């Protein structure tokens, strides 16, 4: 990891990661209550994660479209 953060530009980009990637993981854990997988096996867990990510994206899309059309 240290070799990736050698340049100031890379460090600046990595700093943004906390606001972009980590917040999505937190929302999925909190709002969708996905702290544990209920299925066994890698394929089943990937399916469960994909379903959760799809519902997360659909909710965000609905919220974005709903707030932009009513404003």
């Amino acid at each position: 990891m240290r070799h990736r953060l050698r340049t100031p530009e890379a460090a600046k980009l990595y700093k943004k990661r906390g606001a972009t990637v980590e917040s999505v993981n937190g929302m999925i854990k909190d709002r969708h209550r996905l702290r544990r997988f209920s299925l066994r096996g890698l394929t089943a867990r990937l399916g469960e994660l994909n379903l959760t990510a799809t519902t997360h994206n659909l909710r965000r899309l609905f919220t974005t479209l709903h707030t932009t059309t009513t404003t």
Side-chain angles (χ1 to χ4, degrees):
M1 192 61 180
R2 200 172 280 165
H3 67 279
R4 291 185 182 174
L5 299 176
R6 284 187 183 161
T7 64
E9 296 86 21
K12 190 175 178 181
L13 281 173
Y14 188 75
K15 217 174 192 185
K16 286 184 177 180
R17 184 179 186 271
T20 55
V21 176
E22 303 293 332
S23 63
V24 174
N25 293 337
M27 281 190 259
I28 286 177
K29 284 175 74 174
D30 184 48
R31 293 186 183 153
H32 295 280
R33 294 180 181 91
L34 186 68
R35 296 187 182 274
R36 276 190 227 180
F37 291 106
S38 57
L39 301 173
R40 296 177 74 169
L42 182 61
T43 306
R45 289 181 181 190
L46 282 175
E48 191 174 352
L49 181 63
N50 286 334
L51 182 63
T52 303
T54 302
T55 57
H56 173 74
N57 289 332
L58 285 173
R59 290 173 81 179
R60 287 193 63 183
L61 181 66
F62 176 76
T63 305
T64 304
L65 290 176
H66 183 68
T67 55
T68 56
T69 56
T70 58
T71 311

